[in-house]
Amino acid sequence: MSVETATATTLAHELSPLPIGRGLWLRQILAIIRVELRRNLFGRRSLLAYALAGLPVFVMLVLMIARRPGGAPVFENLGAARTAYAMIFQTFILRAVVFFGCVGIFTNLFRGEVLDRSLHYYLLSPLRREVLVAGKFLAGLVQTWALFVGTVVLSFLMLYPPFGATKAIDDLFRGPGLSQLFAYVGVVLLGSLGYGAVFMIVGVVFRNPIVPALTVLGWETISFLLPPMLKRISVIHYLKGLYPLPMSEGPFAVVAQPPPAWVSVTGLIGLSVVVLVLSSLYVRKLEVRYGED
């Protein structure tokens, strides 16, 4: 069955029978989430996200198996292992895996439908454009959270096998291990929310999202050089205060105090709300012309 036929059939089944009344929008949003997850979790455009999600697990697997000369583990102790993981998380997992995963997933929420010539099935369905935007955004969020939270949990737990089960249990439940793991998960949840919001509107507004995505990447990469006022308009700035083990950004970094946790959380949630509103206003006027793409 083609993508267009599958989309039309699924939308007709999920959206048409919904009665008008209280809770209609919520039921429509849930229906859109189900449609999007069924199509995207195993779609070809999700292959990049799956590959990215597997890279940190592979890296940690290599470090877990590798041995120094003499047969000792790569890390001398759990403290050194957690410090190394903090570096891997901040420089690789967050800035590369989560960032590019959100690029691939959220820019394709609308842009992918245009390329597949299936967006008109949504636009012809009996639902408000705001509901469509909210449903697609939440579906993308569910997908990124499922992938990258799993990545963080698996890669972090791979720190422990070289040191044995006893030390692992002691560090997780009597030491800082479990609290650090929860902090990393929280950063991934908020990072996916912030980057997802940014790339949601990029995918809605721009026909070619590559240049805007590279612009955002460049801005986030040089954020440590920016003055404190400009740092506030980068997603990474609001995540730094949530790191369980902050790392030095080098001698050329412009020092700025990271915001408190409550500011980071409310700021990124506020960003997602603003982006949903702006995306909804744009989608209200959206006219699909497949011949131009």
Side-chain angles (χ1 to χ4, degrees), residues 207-247:
R207 292 182 182 177
N208 185 352
I210 295 178
V211 174
L214 291 177
T215 302
V216 175
L217 175 62
W219 184 264
E220 293 289 290
T221 301
I222 67 170
S223 64
F224 72 100
L225 298 173
L226 299 175
M229 183 62 67
L230 292 180
K231 288 180 185 289
R232 296 176 184 175
I233 56 177
S234 67
V235 173
I236 202 71
H237 174 69
Y238 294 94
L239 300 176
K240 288 178 181 177
L242 305 176
Y243 294 159
L245 291 175
M247 309 297 293

Side-chain angles (χ1 to χ4, degrees), residues 102-212:
C102 288
V103 171
I105 291 172
F106 285 92
T107 57
N108 277 314
L109 290 176
F110 280 90
R111 185 61 192 161
E113 295 261 20
V114 173
L115 295 176
D116 289 337
R117 298 176 181 269
S118 58
L119 183 59
H120 64 283
Y121 292 114
Y122 271 122
L123 301 183
L124 294 173
S125 299
L127 76 162
R128 295 176 64 91
R129 300 291 176 90
E130 296 88 342
V131 172
L132 175 60
V133 170
K136 277 184 166 289
F137 180 75
L138 291 174
L141 209 55
V142 169
Q143 187 177 357
T144 52
W145 283 356
L147 282 176
F148 301 131
V149 168
T151 294
V152 168
V153 172
L154 286 176
S155 60
F156 185 85
L157 293 179
M158 284 183 175
L159 294 174
Y160 293 103
F163 303 100
T166 302
K167 286 187 177 180
I169 293 172
D170 185 68
D171 186 74
L172 283 170
F173 297 102
R174 299 184 186 89
L178 196 60
S179 63
Q180 289 186 7
L181 176 57
F182 284 141
Y184 288 126
V185 168
V187 172
V188 167
L189 294 177
L190 286 174
S192 299
L193 181 68
Y195 287 129
V198 171
F199 294 118
M200 168 84 166
I201 196 166
V202 166
V204 168
V205 175
F206 295 95
R207 292 182 182 177
N208 185 352
I210 295 178
V211 174

